[in-house]
Amino acid sequence: MIISIASGKGGTGKTTIAVNLALTLAETESVCVMDCDVEEPNVHLFLKPRFEGSSKVTIPIPIVDEEKCNGCGKCGEVCAFNAILPLGSHHVLTFPELCHGCGGCTLLCPTGAIQEEPLEIGMIEWGHAGSISHIHGKLNIGSPLAPPVVNAVKNHTKGSSPNVISIIDAPPGTSCPVVASVSGTDFCVLVTEPTPFGLHDLSLAVDMVGELGIEFGVVINRAGLGNGGLFDYCKAENIPILAEIPFDRKYAKCYARGGRFIEEFPEIKKIFQDLWHAICVRAK
Amino acid sequence: MKELLIISGKGGTGKTTIVGAFARLAKDSFPDEVIVLADCDVDAADLHLILNPKIKTTNEFFGLKKAVIDENKCDNCGECIKVCRFNAINVHEEQTKIDPISCEGCTVCFHICPKQAISMEDVIAGHWFVSDTAYGPLVHARLGVAEENSGLLVTEVRREARQIAETLDSRLIINDGPPGIGCPVISSISGVDLALIVTEPTIAGIHDMERLYALAKGFDVKTVVCINKYDLDDKTSDNIEGFCKANNIDVVGKIPFDKKVVESLVKGGLMIPPGCADHDAEGPAANAVRQLWTKTLNHLL
């Protein structure tokens, strides 16, 4: 089973939920945590895994052999991303940072003047924290293209035993890196907080998981801060509230230093056990 | 005209709350001028929730065109499936179909199809708005659900904000940035005059700030830092200050945790309410943000 943790709004507690749910389950189950927030991966700060391997994530970018180029301009015409610019006869500029690696220019060049070579845009690393297996992606700083790194994280664990419970920590927002993280998962936990920002961004995230056709429920973090608008929304939309985690400065302090809630606060462990039960009841 | 970007790496550190307060303080600092506001978090835009904008114009945003199959012309030869690198084309019930969510609009299938059964069609990928607020014009946007090209939409928002600022001879644009370091952040940060990184005293806050700082440096953007809720963990706050000192980054503000910030937000307003003359009644966070504003301006103007 694959569970994704997403949010719309950033900083609502996705990583906290992913890590503590994993720690709770690891006592009896095989658990894998995949950090798909490849722009700002944080799970490793809390799980403190020992990394055992890594691999580069690349996309294929065009290399032009100008001797073979006849200056026809087809490559520039084909490229939807403005990543290749033919400048008259035999001279072609490429902009690797704009390239999506679609292969169009290479495939359609009539003289076979374009070859591809890999451009590194990030990496994935894998290892273990106790019995929990962990994998995360890291987008290179300055590289704009997160989805291929997200996909590399997800592909790495393809074919693993169906008995493993995989927990995906998704990035904030609702656009392509989030869609890449959440799509294909069996259930999505949307983490939010009871503030107007939390409510607004939750509604965007609800639209997104609806578009993807994924079952979902809500975890309310920092309950007690803010107001009741979020609860009214969930009730009106018939959205299940899977768990509530109360706001307390001692939890904030524990998080600040990379601590693990369920180990420091027994009352929290019960919340995560109940959360898992609530997920199992609803997941396909 | 200067462009200030409020940004964070990690989400939820307080960017939008600070931008809202800055909008209000800018009105005090420059009562006779127009300050332009832009929400560059097009993915989960929130600034409009506290600025109560009146929308003046709504504009369609077209991302890249997406591939559409004419099933009458398609003979299901499978050539398009072979060339699509985004796994966007699959066969359902013996008919080749393109998944619009996975399609990146690269046009390779369109060019390769032997039956010319694929066309590239415009898709409205979101909307952008120009609004009036009590503190100046606001340019904001809403990317469509599960859409791509958030970076292009950010570019559109910034272009419009700059145009308004030029027309009104405005001295300052305040941009609310998105989380992360990827495509929409790169579109937000390139070419701004100052990036104010809002971080928090957590190990994730530091980690994400360091990556964002490296990005800003790569784009040659001057950076200052503000530590929000600094008193939640003094030790981690000290570590942030240590990093900033080692990298010659000015820490322009330290804002204490203050429940009043959430209370004012819940009331649908700014953390510094308009017209409040009694600074003590505003609470410690608001006072810290006033100082933050002054120091940020000194770096900018």
Side-chain angles (χ1 to χ4, degrees):
Chain A
M1 177 149 66
I2 308 176
I3 309 296
S4 50
I5 318 281
S7 75
K9 177 167 165 26
T12 56
K14 287 179 297 298
T15 302
T16 299
I17 302 296
V19 167
N20 286 283
L21 184 60
L23 291 168
T24 305
L25 294 175
E27 291 174 4
T28 53
E29 311 275 351
S30 297
V31 179
C32 171
V33 182
M34 299 188 243
D35 195 344
C36 288
D37 186 356
V38 303
E39 295 178 43
E40 298 286 23
N42 288 154
V43 169
H44 65 285
L45 301 172
F46 298 88
L47 280 185
K48 302 176 180 70
R50 218 175 44 161
F51 285 113
E52 293 144 13
S54 68
S55 68
K56 289 176 180 172
V57 179
T58 62
I59 58 167
I61 60 158
I63 297 296
V64 182
D65 179 349
E66 294 189 342
E67 304 243 307
K68 286 191 189 165
C69 171
N70 67 1
C72 73
K74 184 78 182 169
C75 52
E77 191 188 306
V78 168
C79 180
F81 310 105
N82 301 314
I84 190 160
L85 180 66
L87 294 173
S89 56
H90 316 296
H91 190 46
V92 179
L93 283 179
T94 59
F95 303 95
E97 69 283 3
L98 298 176
C99 179
H100 284 221
C102 73
C105 56
T106 308
L107 189 67
L108 296 159
C109 173
T111 63
I114 305 180
Q115 304 251 304
E116 291 184 315
E117 69 169 22
L119 171 74
E120 188 187 329
I121 60 164
M123 69 187 302
I124 58 172
E125 293 178 296
W126 57 88
H128 283 86
S131 70
I132 298 175
S133 62
H134 174 54
I135 168 159
H136 73 178
K138 258 197 315 202
L139 183 68
N140 281 359
I141 291 164
S143 174
L145 213 57
V149 185
V150 173
N151 291 330
V153 171
K154 291 176 79 173
N155 287 335
H156 187 77
T157 55
K158 266 205 180 129
S160 60
S161 158
N163 296 328
V164 175
I165 298 168
S166 294
I167 298 172
I168 291 182
D169 192 9
T174 59
S175 69
C176 42
V178 186
V179 170
S181 304
V182 171
S183 64
T185 61
D186 300 301
F187 191 83
C188 183
V189 175
L190 297 175
V191 185
T192 189
E193 59 183 30
T195 62
F197 292 166
L199 169 58
H200 175 261
D201 296 352
L202 173 68
S203 70
L204 299 176
V206 166
D207 289 348
M208 177 203 63
V209 287
E211 185 85 4
L212 297 174
I214 293 172
E215 290 286 320
F216 69 98
V218 168
V219 169
I220 298 178
N221 195 13
R222 303 190 191 108
L225 277 184
N227 64 352
L230 175 61
F231 296 89
D232 297 341
Y233 167 80
C234 289
K235 199 170 173 191
E237 299 289 322
N238 216 0
I239 295 169
I241 295 172
L242 307 168
E244 288 178 43
I245 298 170
F247 174 77
D248 194 318
R249 273 184 83 132
K250 72 182 180 193
Y251 301 153
K253 192 153 187 140
C254 169
Y255 170 83
R257 297 192 172 175
R260 299 166 166 190
F261 284 19
I262 66 148
E263 288 168 6
E264 292 189 31
F265 310 109
E267 72 276 15
I268 291 277
K269 187 164 183 180
K270 173 80 170 68
I271 294 177
F272 278 92
Q273 285 165 339
D274 292 348
L275 168 61
W276 179 242
H277 181 71
I279 293 170
C280 288
V281 170
R282 290 172 179 88
K284 273 176 191 160
Chain B
M1 183 241 299
K2 302 276 186 182
E3 254 187 297
L4 167 66
L5 172 67
I6 321 294
I7 195 125
S8 71
K10 183 174 177 337
T13 58
K15 289 180 294 296
T16 302
T17 303
I18 288 174
V19 171
F22 275 12
R24 145 93 168 83
L25 294 171
K27 190 85 186 160
D28 283 0
S29 300
F30 311 109
D32 302 324
E33 294 181 48
V34 177
I35 304 299
V36 178
L37 307 161
D39 193 345
C40 297
D41 187 356
V42 300
D43 206 5
D46 282 343
L47 190 56
H48 65 283
L49 297 175
I50 50 173
L51 290 180
N52 192 23
K54 289 189 182 51
I55 293 177
K56 276 172 26 191
T57 63
T58 299
N59 310 273
E60 288 171 343
F61 167 67
F62 294 93
L64 292 177
K65 294 180 180 201
K66 293 201 175 191
V68 176
I69 291 188
D70 180 345
E71 293 180 4
N72 294 322
K73 287 189 190 166
C74 170
D75 65 356
N76 295 296
C77 70
E79 286 301 313
C80 56
I81 298 175
K82 275 189 232 159
V83 296
C84 177
R85 289 187 175 170
F86 306 105
N87 297 319
I89 314 181
N90 293 288
V91 178
H92 286 284
E93 290 164 357
E94 298 180 5
Q95 173 58 54
T96 307
K97 305 243 183 206
I98 299 177
D99 169 19
I101 293 180
S102 300
C103 176
E104 296 210 4
C106 72
T107 76
V108 178
C109 58
F110 161 75
H111 286 286
I112 213 81
C113 176
K115 299 281 177 198
Q116 283 87 47
I118 298 177
S119 55
M120 299 304 298
E121 297 190 0
D122 275 326
V123 178
I124 297 173
H127 290 87
W128 56 272
F129 316 94
V130 180
S131 298
D132 272 339
T133 76
Y135 309 99
L138 168 68
V139 186
H140 50 131
R142 182 165 180 167
L143 190 69
V145 172
E147 278 293 346
E148 306 179 31
N149 303 305
S150 53
L152 287 178
L153 184 49
V154 170
T155 303
E156 195 71 17
V157 165
R158 282 186 64 195
R159 188 194 53 73
E160 182 65 22
R162 273 198 298 264
Q163 198 170 338
I164 293 173
E166 268 164 33
T167 311
L168 300 175
D169 199 21
S170 162
R171 77 161 77 200
L172 179 63
I173 301 173
I174 304 176
N175 292 319
D176 190 5
I181 60 161
C183 149
V185 176
I186 288 171
S187 296
S188 300
I189 207 167
S190 60
V192 299
D193 299 283
L194 182 69
L196 168 62
I197 299 182
V198 181
T199 187
E200 61 178 29
T202 65
I203 55 168
I206 298 188
H207 173 270
D208 296 357
M209 172 191 71
E210 289 183 17
R211 278 170 66 81
L212 178 61
Y213 172 66
L215 180 78
K217 215 172 154 185
F219 279 88
D220 215 7
V221 168
K222 186 180 169 189
T223 308
V224 291
V225 163
C226 147
I227 310 173
N228 196 10
K229 304 176 201 159
Y230 80 92
D231 52 345
L232 277 184
D233 192 58
D234 291 327
K235 187 172 156 248
T236 314
S237 268
D238 290 347
N239 292 343
I240 294 174
E241 291 195 71
F243 171 83
C244 290
K245 200 168 177 192
N247 288 283
N248 260 326
I249 309 166
D250 199 0
V251 177
V252 288
K254 288 168 74 177
I255 306 170
F257 177 78
D258 182 351
K259 276 199 170 174
K260 277 200 175 130
V261 176
V262 182
E263 285 162 14
S264 56
L265 175 61
V266 166
K267 285 180 205 145
L270 304 177
M271 65 177 286
I272 303 180
C276 181
D278 180 2
H279 289 197
D280 286 338
E282 290 176 349
N287 276 314
V289 170
R290 283 181 181 277
Q291 290 170 32
L292 171 68
W293 168 245
T294 308
K295 283 197 178 171
T296 305
L297 268 192
N298 288 343
H299 274 277
L300 198 59
L301 302 176

